[in-house]
Amino acid sequence: MKLLSLLIEILIILGVIIKNIEAEKHSKKQKERNVTTQVSVNELKQFLSHVMERRKLIKVIYQRENALGKKKIQRKLRIKGIQNKDISKRNTNHLRKQPKQNFTDEGDQLFKMGIKILQQSKSQKQKAQAYIFFAKAADMGNMKAMEKMADALLFGNFGMQNITAAIQLYESLAKEGSYKAQNALGFLSSYGIGMEYNQAKALIYYTFGSAGGSMMSQMILGYRYLSGINVLQNCEVALNHYKKVADYIADKLEKSEGIPVEKVRLTERPENLSSNSEILDWDIYQYYKFLAERGDVQIQVSLGQLHLIGRKGLDQDYYKALYYFLKAAKAGSANAMAFIGKMYLEGNAAAPQNNATAFKYFSMAASKGNAIGLHGLGLLYFYGKGVPVNYAEALKYFQKAAEKGWPNAQFQLGFMYYSGSGVWKDYKLAFKYFYLASQSGQPLAIYYLAEMYATGTGVLRSCRTAVELYKGVCELGHWAEKFLTAYFAYKDGDIDSSLVQYALLAEMGYEVAQSNSAFILESKKAKILEKEKMYPMALLLWNRAAIQGNAFARVKIGDYHYYGYGTKKDYQTAATHYSIAADKYHSAQAMFNLAYMYEHGLGIADIHLARRLYDMAAQTSPDAHIPVFFALMKLETMHLLQDILFFNFTMRWKWMKLDNTLGPYWDLLVIGLIVAVLVFLLRNRYG
C-alpha cells in the first residue's frame, strides 16, 4: 500500500530546503535570524498533489478491501449455513483496523520525533529536519502532521508558501474534524485570501473551530463580539470567549513566566527597519558581547536576561545565560545572583532544579537588599521548596520585595490576600497589590484583576473592564511569537509571508498587527490579494486599529477619506477623523492636515483656526517647525495679497481665481517664491 515514490518525492523536496538553508549561512546576520529559503512552487504542488492523491487512493483501497472482505465472508457463511451478522461485522472491522493501526502508530511516532527536534532546534537546518518527519507522518495520514505541513504552506515557512495547496489540505482536514483547519479556513475567508471573501462563512468556521477547542478561534470570536464585527456587539459573549482563552494562558503562566514578545511597528520605521530598538541588531549584539568579555557587569546581566528568556530576537540559551550570570555574580552583582537562584529554582538544561543552590544564591542576593532575591526567598518559604512551608516568612520577604517595586512580589502579596494563604482574605488589599503589579505588566496580576471585575469580587462588576483585561492576558499566548517571524519575513523581503502572519494576528485583535497589515497592504507589494482589494482592506484594518487607540491609524483614516483611497472622497469625514486625532491624541500631523483644510476651505473655511492649528502643530512636535513655518508664510502672504487685491481692485479682479490662472498647485509655486526671496536676502546680508 505504501507508495515509495511519494516518500522519495518528500525527501527530495525537504532535502532542497536544507541545502538552501545551508547556502544562506554565508551571512552572519541571517544565521541568527529566521532565514527564509525558496522551494519551487511546482515541486510543492507536486508534493501536495501526491499527498492528496495518496489519501484518496488509500480510501479507495480500503473500500475495495472492505467490499472483497464482505464477499468472502458471506460466501463462507453461506457454505457453513451461518447467517450471524455480528460475526460478519466483527471480521470486517478486523480486516479494516489491522493494517490501519500499524500505519497510524508509525505516523504518530514520526510526528513525535519531529516535535522533539523542533522543540530542541536552534537553527533553521534543524527545524527543516523536523519537517522531514512531519512530511513522512503526513504521508501516513497523521492529522497533526498534516496540520503542520498546511501551516508551513500558508505562512511560508522556509520560503515554501503556497496558499492554494494549503487550502486544499485544510479543506481535507476540516472534513475530518480538525479545529485548526476550521480556524485557518475562517481566517482565509475573512480576508478573501485564496478564497471567496465571505464574512458569514468565516463566522461559521470560527464557531466550529472554537467548539472543537481552538483557542485562536475563541479569541477571534471574543474580539468580534467585543467590537461588533459582523455580529451584534455583546460584552457578555465576548467575556465568555476571552475567559476560556485567559484561563488556558494563566495555567501556562503559572508554570513558567510569560514574557511578552516584541511587537515591532512597521509604521514607525518604514525606511530603516535595521535600526529597530525592539530587535537587537547583530553588530550591536557583537559589541555587547565584547563589552561583557571586557568585564562590563551591567552588560553581562543584560545579556544573561536576554538569553534566559529569549528576548530582542535572540534565541533562548540557558548555557549562555548562566555563563554571563556567573561572570557578573563573581564581580558582585546582586541581580546576577538572584537570576542564578531563579534558574536553579525553576530548573533547566544548564542549571538542573536544586532548591539548596537556589536558596544559597537567593540569600546572597537578599543580603544585598536585592528585590529579586527577597522575592525568591519568599517563594521558597511559600511553596516549601527546600525549607518548611512558612507563610509568615514568605509574607515578610514578599513585603520587602514589593516595597522595592518588584511586580512579581506585589502579585504574590495580592494572591495571598485573594486566596487567604497564611493571612485573612482581604479583597481590597488583594486588588491593591494586583493593580500595582499590573501597572508593570505582570500577566497573572492582570488575569486576577480580570477575574475580580468579571465576578464583582471586591470591586463593582464591570464586563467591559474584565474583557479588556482578559484580552491583555490572551495576547500573551504562544501565537504572539508570529510577531517575530512576520517581522523577519518582512525585513527579508518575503512580503506575502509577513502579511499572512500579521493578518492572522490582526484578526485575533492585536492592534499592532492591524496597523502593520494595513501598512503592508497600502504599499501594494503583496501578491496574495488583488490590487483593487488592498485599499478597502487597509482602510478596514486602519479603522480597527484606530478604535483601539492608535493615533497614527486615525490620521490614516482621515487621509483615505481626503484622497478617496478605498472609499469616496469625503472632506467632512476626513476633517472629523483629523479632529479626533488632534484633540484626543495631540497628533501634530492631524493638526497640520486640519489647518490646511481650514485654510483652503476644504470641508470648512476658517483662516483664524488654521493659524491656531499650525501653531499648535509646531508646539506639539519639533519636526513640524519647518513645514509649519513655510505654511504660515504662504498663508500670511496669500492673505495679504487677497486683502490688497480686494481693497484696490475689487471689481477688476473679481473674476480672477488663482486655481484657474496658476493651476491646482499654485500654493507650491508661492512657497517656492518665498524660499527664493529668503535665500536672496540671506545671501545679500552675508555676502
Side-chain angles (χ1 to χ4, degrees):
M1 282 176 60
K2 184 170 179 60
L3 301 177
L4 184 61
S5 62
L6 177 62
L7 179 56
I8 293 169
E9 194 72 39
I10 296 165
L11 293 173
I12 289 171
I13 292 167
L14 284 151
V16 171
I17 295 171
I18 295 171
K19 286 178 181 177
N20 285 340
I21 292 169
E22 288 175 336
E24 294 284 336
K25 283 192 172 181
H26 69 278
S27 170
K28 288 185 178 180
K29 284 187 179 182
Q30 291 180 344
K31 197 185 291 183
E32 287 288 320
R33 294 176 180 157
N34 292 337
V35 182
T36 57
T37 56
Q38 299 300 316
V39 180
S40 72
V41 174
N42 291 331
E43 285 179 316
L44 284 168
K45 284 183 178 177
Q46 193 175 2
F47 161 67
L48 243 289
S49 63
H50 271 298
V51 172
M52 300 300 291
E53 288 298 321
R54 175 175 175 74
R55 289 172 64 76
K56 290 177 183 176
L57 183 61
I58 289 169
K59 287 181 180 178
V60 171
I61 291 169
Y62 282 144
Q63 287 171 359
R64 288 180 180 176
E65 281 190 350
N66 291 340
L68 288 170
K70 283 180 181 178
K71 286 180 181 178
K72 287 180 181 179
I73 291 166
Q74 285 173 0
R75 196 178 295 116
K76 288 179 181 179
L77 291 174
R78 284 195 196 100
I79 293 168
K80 292 181 179 180
I82 301 171
Q83 296 296 327
N84 191 326
K85 292 182 180 179
D86 292 336
I87 295 173
S88 175
K89 287 180 181 178
R90 191 161 57 248
N91 288 338
T92 305
N93 290 337
H94 178 72
L95 284 172
R96 186 189 299 123
K97 290 178 181 178
Q98 191 70 36
K100 194 173 181 180
Q101 186 64 44
N102 295 335
F103 207 62
T104 304
D105 289 345
E106 191 176 349
D108 289 343
Q109 288 298 319
L110 288 168
F111 176 74
K112 288 175 182 176
M113 289 172 70
I115 289 292
K116 187 176 180 181
I117 292 171
L118 199 62
Q119 289 173 342
Q120 296 174 350
S121 63
K122 292 181 181 178
S123 68
Q124 293 294 90
K125 181 181 177 182
Q126 290 173 323
K127 289 177 182 177
Q129 287 173 340
Y131 275 84
I132 291 178
F133 288 101
F134 293 147
K136 290 179 181 178
D139 177 41
M140 294 180 175
N142 183 281
M143 187 182 290
K144 291 181 179 178
M146 292 181 75
E147 289 171 346
K148 284 282 185 185
M149 295 306 294
D151 287 346
L153 290 169
L154 175 61
F155 298 119
N157 296 359
F158 310 109
M160 54 188 246
Q161 190 175 41
N162 187 331
I163 291 171
T164 304
I167 290 170
Q168 291 176 2
L169 202 48
Y170 280 133
E171 286 176 340
S172 174
L173 288 165
K175 289 175 183 176
E176 296 183 26
S178 168
Y179 63 80
K180 289 185 179 179
Q182 299 277 7
N183 182 75
L185 290 171
F187 157 65
L188 293 167
S189 297
S190 70
Y191 282 90
I193 299 174
M195 299 177 71
E196 180 191 2
Y197 176 79
N198 192 325
Q199 288 293 342
K201 201 172 182 180
L203 188 61
I204 292 170
Y205 277 126
Y206 289 142
T207 303
F208 278 114
S210 64
S214 170
M215 291 293 110
M216 294 173 80
S217 289
Q218 290 278 10
M219 195 168 165
I220 290 168
L221 287 174
Y223 177 65
R224 288 194 165 216
Y225 278 102
L226 173 65
S227 306
I229 300 172
N230 297 107
V231 292
L232 289 173
Q233 198 169 13
N234 191 320
C235 184
E236 295 298 334
V237 176
L239 178 69
N240 182 48
H241 285 295
Y242 272 124
K243 178 171 168 50
K244 288 176 182 176
V245 184
D247 290 343
Y248 168 79
I249 300 297
D251 182 60
K252 299 285 184 185
L253 291 172
E254 285 174 353
K255 294 172 184 175
S256 60
E257 277 188 40
I259 304 300
V261 175
E262 285 75 15
K263 301 178 181 71
V264 179
R265 288 188 183 275
L266 301 181
T267 54
E268 294 180 359
R269 303 169 181 87
E271 287 101 12
N272 188 14
L273 286 170
S274 63
S275 64
N276 198 293
S277 61
E278 301 290 345
I279 306 297
L280 197 62
D281 190 73
W282 171 262
D283 296 328
I284 296 173
Y285 174 64
Q286 292 300 317
Y287 178 62
Y288 283 166
K289 281 177 68 177
F290 170 74
L291 292 178
E293 293 301 327
R294 290 284 299 271
D296 189 317
V297 176
Q298 190 174 350
I299 295 294
Q300 289 168 350
V301 175
S302 296
L303 284 177
Q305 286 180 268
L306 292 175
H307 281 297
L308 178 63
I309 55 185
R311 293 288 299 271
K312 299 285 184 183
L314 296 181
D315 289 328
Q316 190 176 48
D317 191 323
Y318 294 120
Y319 291 98
K320 286 182 180 178
L322 186 61
Y323 169 76
Y324 286 119
F325 285 144
L326 285 170
K327 285 179 78 71
K330 191 175 181 181
S333 170
N335 274 337
M337 296 170 189
F339 279 115
I340 295 170
K342 182 178 183 295
M343 290 183 73
Y344 278 104
L345 175 63
E346 295 174 356
N348 54 64
Q353 207 285 327
N354 190 311
N355 292 329
T357 307
F359 185 87
K360 170 189 168 185
Y361 280 103
F362 280 142
S363 298
M364 290 166 64
S367 65
K368 294 175 176 285
N370 182 269
I372 306 172
L374 290 165
H375 170 251
L377 288 177
L379 287 176
L380 292 174
Y381 281 109
F382 185 81
Y383 292 106
K385 293 192 172 184
V387 292
V389 173
N390 189 327
Y391 290 128
E393 282 292 296
L395 183 67
K396 180 182 76 175
Y397 285 119
F398 288 148
Q399 284 175 335
K400 287 181 179 179
E403 286 169 6
K404 293 178 180 291
W406 185 239
N408 289 353
Q410 292 167 345
F411 161 72
Q412 287 294 341
L413 281 175
F415 181 75
M416 289 183 77
Y417 285 111
Y418 181 81
S419 60
S421 302
V423 293
W424 291 103
K425 279 188 179 181
D426 189 329
Y427 292 126
K428 290 192 181 297
L429 276 176
F431 180 85
K432 171 191 169 183
Y433 286 115
F434 285 149
Y435 180 78
L436 284 172
S438 71
Q439 296 305 293
S440 300
Q442 216 288 342
L444 283 172
I446 297 170
Y447 171 76
Y448 279 101
L449 273 181
E451 290 279 280
M452 295 181 81
Y453 275 110
T455 56
T457 304
V459 291
L460 189 65
R461 187 179 187 274
S462 172
C463 178
R464 183 78 190 190
T465 305
V467 168
E468 292 291 348
L469 291 167
Y470 276 138
K471 183 175 182 290
V473 176
C474 294
E475 291 182 355
L476 296 173
H478 61 83
W479 38 77
E481 293 171 2
K482 289 194 182 299
F483 271 105
L484 283 179
T485 54
Y487 168 70
F488 288 130
Y490 181 83
K491 198 173 176 190
D492 291 334
D494 194 349
I495 304 300
D496 286 340
S497 173
S498 178
L499 176 58
V500 170
Q501 294 179 77
Y502 277 133
L504 176 60
L505 293 167
E507 187 76 353
M508 296 171 72
Y510 288 90
E511 177 270 310
V512 176
Q514 289 167 348
S515 61
N516 285 357
S517 300
F519 178 79
I520 293 172
L521 286 167
E522 188 181 86
S523 69
K524 292 195 171 183
K525 293 178 182 177
K527 298 174 184 176
I528 56 175
L529 273 179
E530 294 86 351
K531 289 195 180 294
E532 62 270 15
K533 291 182 180 178
M534 290 191 181
Y535 274 137
M537 185 60 71
L539 178 59
L540 177 71
L541 290 164
W542 284 129
N543 189 56
R544 291 181 184 178
I547 290 169
Q548 297 200 69
N550 186 319
F552 183 84
R554 184 65 68 182
V555 175
K556 275 290 183 182
I557 298 170
D559 292 344
Y560 275 51
H561 284 96
Y562 181 87
Y563 293 107
Y565 294 158
T567 186
K568 292 180 180 179
K569 278 189 179 182
D570 188 337
Y571 292 135
Q572 289 287 351
T573 305
T576 300
H577 287 289
Y578 289 145
S579 296
I580 294 170
D583 297 339
K584 191 174 181 180
Y585 305 110
H586 308 291
S587 167
Q589 182 67 63
M591 293 171 189
F592 187 92
N593 293 356
L594 201 56
Y596 184 88
M597 293 182 74
Y598 280 128
E599 179 189 351
H600 294 85
L602 301 172
I604 188 169
D606 191 328
I607 201 77
H608 302 293
L609 191 54
R611 285 196 189 96
R612 183 185 168 197
L613 284 165
Y614 278 135
D615 289 335
M616 287 173 64
Q619 292 168 8
T620 303
S621 172
D623 294 336
H625 284 167
I626 295 175
V628 164
F629 171 76
F630 286 120
L632 284 172
M633 285 289 290
K634 186 207 74 170
L635 185 150
E636 297 300 343
T637 303
M638 294 309 302
H639 189 55
L640 179 63
L641 287 172
Q642 285 173 0
D643 287 345
I644 294 170
L645 290 172
F646 181 78
F647 183 75
N648 294 314
F649 309 102
T650 303
M651 298 305 295
R652 185 177 174 186
W653 296 93
K654 188 175 181 180
W655 56 270
M656 181 179 177
K657 290 185 179 179
L658 290 174
D659 281 350
N660 294 332
T661 55
L662 299 179
Y665 300 107
W666 58 268
D667 50 350
L668 296 177
L669 178 63
V670 172
I671 290 173
L673 289 171
I674 293 169
V675 172
V677 170
L678 286 172
V679 171
F680 177 75
L681 291 173
L682 289 170
R683 286 185 66 181
N684 286 342
R685 182 177 179 182
Y686 295 106

